[in-house]
């Protein structure tokens, strides 16, 4: 039996780490440990004297404990280095130096461009918004120059899947990289997709990870068909599946479409006929062939889903699929100016069938949004209100004080999946990620809506009138949005999902 003094001496050694001690674990969901941000958490450990000391007789367990190294211990030397870095580096100095490097780089590029193309115009002044894209771990520490800016970047506190360098706020700005570098990056991403799709069995999990940050236009049609579950992962089975599903769809048309003007179905068909001309892009939708395609798709879906039937809002969900699939067969970059009548009839039939089945797959996951009284939308709007009250209480109180109800503006966000709030090009980019996320349209969309609302917090807090607030929320200025804005929105939505999805009580008061 050890004496009391020996026991006290053993437990006094608090500096030594034992197996199983809590350490920082870094991975896909944890940002790297940043000494500039977490410097206050580090304390330089006192140096252990290296003078050899005569070993005392200790118990067997004490010998085992002193001779066993912790597999997860980073070591005191690493802690000291981090502490020294924290003490010797100043955040403001680091950021200012980085800004200066960026400005010098930009000026050198401009000089090279002027040498290649002589111009009589004076050289443009360097951009005043050359800011570093801060790492995830730095997002909570603003530098002095940014604190006075009128546009505060959205905060991000968690790592994001396949993080890309994007602008932190506002409309997309030209990248400082040259056009050739940008095209090389796009070509590299396209090669990754082609390699993944070329195999005999496509790895859908890898395809989802690669698609989260956007899908290149040339491979978007086949990728959407795979991610939606319309096509099988096995390459050899795809032709037979396409042929069978297309034949099945046109069998529905032969069986049902001639009855569209019968008394039992005429109200449904009339409402579809009224809603289609209201859709965008008008130049595409109002082409007679496209109008007929949309009428057939919506009517067949309504007849085959009597639990919900046709509901306004479903018509908008056809457009992204049709545009993506038809772009594979037209040369125009702007689909709104494309003449669909020049597309061969058999190609149009295939595009129509593919659009129907992919839209059906989407609606299968959110059909409670369109059943009687639309309970799915009612529930999601309530969850959005609870979520915003926790992530930005000031915005929530401001809306409540001016008697603005979430249902008055967020109902359309859920009903049309934000299609009426952002341009079609942004919707397509948004759906790249939705189809990469598990339950993207039914679950992840909630966090996108929350990030979308908080994105306009400055403008919302400046409005002091019910009417002005509601008009602003129903007509948000997103006409000039691009991929950079959507990427930032999705990054913030991912952060919110990471914080709240597995802990729903966090947003319940």
């Amino acid at each position: 039996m050890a004496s009391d003094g020996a026991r006290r001496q053993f437990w006094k050694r608090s500096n030594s780490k034992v197996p199983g001690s809590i350490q920082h674990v870094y991975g896909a969901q944890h940002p790297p440990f940043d000494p500039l941000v977490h410097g206050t958490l580090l304390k330089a450990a006192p140096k252990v004297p290296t003078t050899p000391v005569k070993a005392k007789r200790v118990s067997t367990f004490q010998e085992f404990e002193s001779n066993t190294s912790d597999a997860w211990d980073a070591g005191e030397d690493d802690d000291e280095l981090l502490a020294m870095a924290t003490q010797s580096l100043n955040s403001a100095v680091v950021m200012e130096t980085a800004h200066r490097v960026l400005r010098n780089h930009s000026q050198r590029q401009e000089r090279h461009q002027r040498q290649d193309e002589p111009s009589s115009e004076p050289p443009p002044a360097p951009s005043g918004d050359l800011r570093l894209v801060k790492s995830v771990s730095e997002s909570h520490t603003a530098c002095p120059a940014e604190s006075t800016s009128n546009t505060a970047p959205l905060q991000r506190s968690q790592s994001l899947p396949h993080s890309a360098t994007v602008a932190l706020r506002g409309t997309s700005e030209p990248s400082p990289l040259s056009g050739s570098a940008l095209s090389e990056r796009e070509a590299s991403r396209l090669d990754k997709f082609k390699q993944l799709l070329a195999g005999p069995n496509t790895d859908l999990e890898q395809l989802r990870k690669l698609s989260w940050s956007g899908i290149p236009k040339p491979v978007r049609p086949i990728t959407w068909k795979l991610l939606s579950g319309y096509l099988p992962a096995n390459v050899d089975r795809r032709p037979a599946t396409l042929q069978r599903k297309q034949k099945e769809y046109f069998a529905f048309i032969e069986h049902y479409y001639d009855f569209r003007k019968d008394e039992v179905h005429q109200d449904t068909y009339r409402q579809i006929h009224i809603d289609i001309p209201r859709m965008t892009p008008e130049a595409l939708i109002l082409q007679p062939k496209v109008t007929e395609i949309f009428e057939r798709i919506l009517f067949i879906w309504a007849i085959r889903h009597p639990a919900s039937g046709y509901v306004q809002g479903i018509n908008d969900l056809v457009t992204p699929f049709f545009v993506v699939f038809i772009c594979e067969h037209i040369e125009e970059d702007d689909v709104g100016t494309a003449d669909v009548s020049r597309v061969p009839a058999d190609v149009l039939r295939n595009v129509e069938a593919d659009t129907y089945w992919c839209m059906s797959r989407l609606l299968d996951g959110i059909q409670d949004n369109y059943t009687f009284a639309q309970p799915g939308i009612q529930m999601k709007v309530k969850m959005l209100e609870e979520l915003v009250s926790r992530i930005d209480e000031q915005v929530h109180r401001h809306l409540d004080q001016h008697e603005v109800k979430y249902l008055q503006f967020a109902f359309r966000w859920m009903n049309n999946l934000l299609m009426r709030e952002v341009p079609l090009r942004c919707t397509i980019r948004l759906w790249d990620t939705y189809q990469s996320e598990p339950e993207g349209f039914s679950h992840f969309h909630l966090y996108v809506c929350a990030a979308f609302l908080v994105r306009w917090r400055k403008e919302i807090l400046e409005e002091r009138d019910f009417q002005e607030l509601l008009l602003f929320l129903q007509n948000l200025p997103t006409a000039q949005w691009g991929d950079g804005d959507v990427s930032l929105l999705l990054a913030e939505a991912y952060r919110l999902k990471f914080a709240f999805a597995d802990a729903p009580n966090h947003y319940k008061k």
Side-chain angles (χ1 to χ4, degrees):
M1 184 66 128
S3 64
D4 292 341
R7 283 200 297 269
R8 282 197 299 271
Q9 181 180 6
F10 170 73
W11 293 112
K12 191 182 296 184
R13 294 183 297 170
S14 58
N15 288 334
S16 61
K17 298 182 174 112
V18 297
S21 58
I22 298 175
Q23 303 290 332
H24 291 285
V25 179
Y26 309 127
Q29 296 179 344
H30 296 275
F33 194 81
D34 194 335
L36 296 179
V37 178
H38 303 88
T40 55
L41 302 178
L42 296 173
K43 294 182 179 178
K47 290 292 291 183
V48 180
T50 56
T51 307
V53 181
K54 183 177 180 180
K56 296 182 180 180
R57 181 68 177 173
V58 292
S59 66
T60 304
F61 178 78
Q62 289 174 327
E63 291 178 353
F64 170 79
E65 191 275 336
S66 61
N67 294 327
T68 302
S69 61
D70 192 348
W72 299 276
D73 188 3
E76 292 182 357
D77 292 341
D78 293 341
D79 291 344
E80 290 180 8
L81 289 174
L82 289 174
M84 291 170 60
T86 305
Q87 294 173 0
S88 60
L89 294 178
N90 181 280
S91 178
V93 174
V94 171
M95 295 301 293
E96 178 60 30
T97 303
H99 294 167
R100 189 159 54 251
V101 170
L102 283 175
R103 284 195 295 270
N104 293 338
H105 178 69
S106 177
Q107 290 170 359
R108 283 198 301 272
Q109 277 194 327
E110 290 170 1
R111 285 197 296 269
H112 290 315
Q113 290 174 359
R114 286 197 299 271
Q115 290 173 1
D116 296 338
E117 295 183 13
S119 174
S120 58
E121 297 179 0
S127 173
D129 193 29
L130 289 172
R131 295 176 294 174
L132 278 179
V133 177
K134 298 193 289 184
S135 67
V136 174
S137 58
E138 287 181 306
S139 60
H140 294 290
T141 58
C143 67
E146 290 180 11
S147 63
T148 58
S149 174
N150 293 330
T151 58
L154 288 174
Q155 292 182 343
R156 295 182 293 161
S157 63
Q158 300 294 341
S159 60
L160 307 173
H162 311 287
S163 57
T165 303
V166 296
L168 288 181
R169 175 66 191 256
T171 57
S172 302
E173 297 179 356
S175 170
L177 296 175
S178 63
S180 60
L182 187 62
S183 62
E184 286 176 5
R185 185 165 65 245
E186 291 175 350
S188 174
R189 279 184 53 77
L190 181 58
D191 287 341
K192 290 180 181 178
F193 273 93
K194 287 182 176 179
Q195 290 174 9
L196 193 58
L197 295 169
N201 290 284
T202 303
D203 188 337
L204 295 181
E205 187 60 32
Q206 287 299 320
L207 187 62
R208 288 189 182 94
K209 290 180 180 179
L210 197 57
S211 302
W212 202 98
S213 54
I215 304 172
K217 185 177 178 180
V219 295
R220 184 174 276 137
I222 182 66
T223 303
W224 275 27
K225 292 172 188 176
L226 287 167
L227 293 179
S228 65
Y230 173 47
L231 285 184
N234 183 270
V235 175
D236 296 334
R237 291 175 52 202
R238 290 176 193 169
T241 301
L242 279 174
Q243 186 177 4
R244 176 173 55 83
K245 300 300 283 185
Q246 290 165 1
K247 183 178 179 180
E248 187 177 350
Y249 169 71
F250 286 104
F252 293 156
I253 291 179
E254 292 178 5
H255 186 72
Y256 296 113
Y257 197 62
D258 289 340
F259 300 101
R260 62 188 182 280
K261 295 185 179 179
D262 288 359
E263 185 178 356
V264 68
H265 300 310
Q266 64 181 359
D267 289 341
T268 297
Y269 180 74
R270 184 188 302 114
Q271 189 61 55
I272 292 171
H273 192 71
I274 291 172
D275 288 344
I276 287 178
R278 302 172 180 171
M279 298 166 61
T280 56
E282 293 181 1
L284 174 68
I285 303 299
L286 295 182
Q287 295 182 38
K289 284 193 175 182
V290 178
T291 301
E292 292 172 7
I293 289 173
F294 276 52
E295 286 179 354
R296 286 195 292 266
I297 290 174
L298 292 169
F299 183 78
I300 296 300
W301 190 89
I303 294 300
R304 289 188 51 78
H305 295 81
S308 62
Y310 173 74
V311 179
Q312 285 179 307
I314 294 178
N315 54 313
D316 284 327
L317 307 184
V318 182
T319 308
F321 289 114
F322 181 80
V323 168
V324 167
F325 297 154
I326 199 66
C327 281
E328 197 174 10
H329 307 285
I330 60 176
E331 297 178 356
E332 291 85 352
D333 291 333
D334 184 5
V335 71
T337 62
D339 185 3
V340 177
S341 63
R342 293 185 296 177
V343 179
D346 58 335
V347 171
L348 273 181
R349 284 171 58 88
N350 294 341
V351 168
E352 179 179 347
D354 295 344
T355 300
Y356 170 81
W357 288 114
C358 288
M359 186 202 72
S360 297
R361 291 276 185 169
L362 186 161
L363 288 171
D364 286 347
I366 57 173
Q367 193 170 354
D368 60 340
N369 285 7
Y370 306 104
T371 54
F372 178 73
Q374 299 181 271
I377 292 180
Q378 302 277 353
M379 179 183 65
K380 289 183 177 69
V381 171
K382 181 62 178 175
M383 292 173 66
L384 175 66
E385 182 177 357
E386 293 174 347
L387 182 58
V388 173
S389 70
R390 297 308 301 266
I391 64 177
D392 199 325
E393 189 175 0
Q394 188 177 4
V395 168
H396 176 74
R397 283 203 316 267
H398 187 76
L399 295 174
D400 185 59
Q401 288 170 0
H402 293 84
E403 300 181 350
V404 176
K405 305 299 181 184
Y406 282 74
L407 207 59
Q408 293 170 326
F409 62 89
F411 182 89
R412 190 172 71 181
W413 295 7
M414 304 297 178
N415 192 51
N416 303 87
L417 298 178
L418 288 177
M419 282 196 60
R420 295 294 179 96
E421 319 308 320
V422 297
L424 179 59
R425 62 183 180 275
C426 295
T427 298
I428 292 173
R429 168 63 189 90
L430 202 62
W431 284 24
D432 287 346
T433 299
Y434 279 6
Q435 297 195 81
S436 307
E437 278 280 330
E439 299 182 332
F441 292 97
S442 60
H443 185 64
F444 186 63
H445 180 67
L446 168 68
Y447 300 98
V448 172
C449 289
F452 189 61
L453 179 61
V454 176
R455 162 66 177 79
W456 307 102
R457 74 182 311 276
K458 179 177 178 290
E459 293 82 354
I460 290 172
L461 295 176
E462 288 175 352
E463 299 291 350
R464 300 293 179 179
D465 177 72
F466 166 82
Q467 184 176 358
E468 295 298 328
L469 261 174
L470 201 56
L471 284 174
F472 175 75
L473 290 170
Q474 292 178 346
N475 299 277
L476 293 166
T478 59
Q480 303 303 319
W481 269 33
D483 284 357
D485 302 280
V486 177
S487 297
L488 177 58
L489 182 69
L490 290 168
E492 178 65 8
Y494 180 84
R495 187 186 72 84
L496 294 176
K497 178 194 171 188
F498 183 83
F500 292 98
D502 296 328
N505 288 333
H506 285 184
Y507 60 78
K508 290 181 180 178
K509 291 185 176 181

